[in-house]
């Protein structure tokens, strides 16, 4: 039997993305976003949704840039902590011990300790309602060298990303490989 | 050591979303999308990225509606199959044995066998480049009753969603619960 839950924002999975910016004073900040993802192949783009009240909102508009950093399970506590506070209250890089690194390409910091980062230049601002979607053109993708397999593919089992379950408000790991895609004839 | 990979569209995780539409002749169709997700709380919205060449593109524009269906691991082969063919070539509901159910709210079918569906009315069309982003206002969320726990939360361990790894072109399961969110003081 199907049951109607009404107008909810539940989807599986939500990613766990850490958005890096400089604030209007040049201080590095991080924001956790679980509403976002790749949205275009050419130009390569990633979208993230941000409320106007968030500290990151004006930082993105001021610098026309942000980074999207994928954390590993080993930093789950730092991510969770960063998701509980605003950059207006405290310096989340300092509090978590994470290291901001200035990108050479855009005016935004990335998180040194996280295995994968998309370096983005703000391409489009889409007003939807309570959330604004910032679409960033991916200028570069940087990865920890040891996450690259001999095949040239990235090793998800080393990257160890995790997901957010918005219904139970908890984080889950990525499990075992199920099958190759494009193999069902 | 960080290594630059260039302008890639790699993120972890990509969701596996099945988009349901009626084509311009009224035939039900499904498209697999791994670029999409929730993008606004009020109005509640979900975004999916679609190339203009995809069969689903004109179907969404014609009916101003689509559904976003979350498959379980038990239907991974049907999902993979649906991702390999176009609705212009064959009826993917018939070929996969999945059942289209007409929504009462919008002119789009949902997938009966999948545990969770977002019923969407087209709200916004965002031209980015090779991909167009369709932003759908979520008019209802429907779920298999047995996926709802006594707490009222959905049970991710029963829903059994899976993710797509675009670098290795394979599907992965969701693993174990890591921790509650908002618990790192």
């Amino acid at each position: 039997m199907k049951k109607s839950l009404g107008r909810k924002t539940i989807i599986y999975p939500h990613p766990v993305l850490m958005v890096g910016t400089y604030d209007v004073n040049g201080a590095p900040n991080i924001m956790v976003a679980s509403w976002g993802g790749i949205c275009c192949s050419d130009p390569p783009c990633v979208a993230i949704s941000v409320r106007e009240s968030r500290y990151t909102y004006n930082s993105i508009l001021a610098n026309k840039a942000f980074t999207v950093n994928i954390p590993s399970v080993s930093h789950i506590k730092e991510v969770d902590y960063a998701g509980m506070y605003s950059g207006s209250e405290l310096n989340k890089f300092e509090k978590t011990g994470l290291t901001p690194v200035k990108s050479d390409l855009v005016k935004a910091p990335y998180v040194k300790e996280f295995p994968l980062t998309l370096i983005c230049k703000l391409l489009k601002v889409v007003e939807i309602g309570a959330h604004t979607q910032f679409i960033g053109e991916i200028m570069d993708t940087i990865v920890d060298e040891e996450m690259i397999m001999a095949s040239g593919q990235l090793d998800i089992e080393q990257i160890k990303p995790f997901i957010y379950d918005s219904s139970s408000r908890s984080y889950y790991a990525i499990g075992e490989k199920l099958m190759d895609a494009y193999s069902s004839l």
Side-chain angles (χ1 to χ4, degrees), chain A residues 106-174:
Chain A
V106 303
K107 215 170 145 191
Y110 64 86
V111 183
K112 184 182 170 190
E113 290 80 4
F114 290 5
L116 182 69
T117 299
L118 313 181
I119 305 286
C120 304
K121 188 178 76 177
L122 182 62
L123 182 71
K124 228 181 223 302
V125 178
V126 183
E127 304 288 354
I128 308 174
H131 284 78
T132 297
Q133 195 181 225
F134 292 116
I135 296 180
E137 181 174 348
I138 301 165
M139 308 308 290
D140 196 9
T141 305
I142 53 178
V143 62
D144 286 342
E145 211 163 34
E146 60 270 29
M147 304 294 166
I148 306 171
M149 299 186 287
S151 64
Q153 296 169 341
L154 301 190
D155 187 351
I156 190 174
E157 291 169 34
Q158 269 209 79
I159 291 175
K160 290 191 196 300
F162 52 101
I163 67 138
Y164 176 59
D165 173 3
S166 61
S167 186
S168 72
R169 295 166 65 90
S170 51
Y171 304 108
Y172 280 80
I174 302 297

Side-chain angles (χ1 to χ4, degrees), chain A residues 30-49:
Chain A
I30 37 180
M31 182 195 88
V32 184
S34 63
W35 293 0
I38 300 295
C39 63
C40 189
S41 57
D42 185 19
C45 289
V46 60
I48 53 161
S49 286

Side-chain angles (χ1 to χ4, degrees), chain A residues 10 17 22 24 33 38 40 42 56 77 80 91-93 103-104 108 111 118 130 158 167 173 176 180 185:
Chain A
I10 300 170
L17 310 173
Y22 289 114
V24 292
I38 300 295
C40 189
D42 185 19
T56 290
K77 286 192 175 168
D80 190 54
N91 184 318
K92 292 196 266 186
F93 271 108
S103 162
D104 295 334
V111 183
L118 313 181
Q158 269 209 79
S167 186
E176 77 279 12
D180 289 326
L185 292 173

Side-chain angles (χ1 to χ4, degrees), chain A residues 41-106:
Chain A
S41 57
D42 185 19
C45 289
V46 60
I48 53 161
S49 286
V50 182
R51 281 177 180 273
E52 194 174 347
S53 59
R54 301 294 295 269
Y55 196 60
T56 290
Y57 186 95
N58 286 323
S59 304
I60 291 177
L61 289 177
N63 296 302
K64 307 266 182 270
F66 59 93
T67 65
V68 175
N69 305 270
I70 311 298
S72 287
V73 166
S74 57
H75 287 103
I76 190 168
K77 286 192 175 168
E78 288 85 346
V79 171
D80 190 54
Y81 182 91
M84 297 172 68
Y85 297 94
S86 168
S88 64
E89 304 169 276
L90 48 83
N91 184 318
K92 292 196 266 186
F93 271 108
E94 277 176 18
K95 285 283 182 184
T96 56
L98 296 171
T99 312
V101 180
K102 200 192 167 310
S103 162
D104 295 334
L105 294 172
V106 303

